[in-house]
Amino acid sequence: MPIIVNLDVMMAKCKISLGELAERIDLISANLSILKTGKSKTIRFSTLEAICKELDCQPGDILEYREK
């Protein structure tokens, strides 16, 4: 898929675990894990907004387009 999810990179930069981020943004860890591994086909803008707010980043820091 040409959309790359860099959530793990941003989490490492902010030194935050998956469980901690999930708790802070009120999301189930399993759902956040699916997003982090790039297996998710969708993301709600409200979830993206919460992640960006918590990690102090922009959507482009998390989602990247790479041509095949």
Side-chain angles (χ1 to χ4, degrees):
M1 182 192 300
I3 301 295
I4 308 299
V5 180
N6 293 315
L7 182 56
D8 54 344
V9 174
M10 291 306 301
M11 288 171 54
K13 284 183 182 179
C14 294
K15 296 183 174 102
I16 188 170
S17 70
L18 181 80
E20 187 177 351
L21 180 59
E23 186 177 318
R24 288 186 184 184
I25 64 172
D26 196 30
L27 195 68
I28 297 170
S29 292
N31 291 344
L32 191 58
S33 178
I34 290 168
L35 176 62
K36 186 182 97 161
T37 58
K39 294 179 181 176
S40 178
K41 299 291 182 196
T42 62
I43 183 171
R44 292 177 186 244
F45 281 149
S46 58
T47 301
L48 184 59
E49 178 183 356
I51 291 170
C52 288
K53 183 177 180 181
E54 195 59 45
L55 299 180
D56 191 27
C57 66
Q58 295 295 314
D61 295 328
I62 297 171
L63 302 175
E64 176 184 349
Y65 173 78
R66 285 190 203 157
E67 208 166 321
K68 289 184 179 180

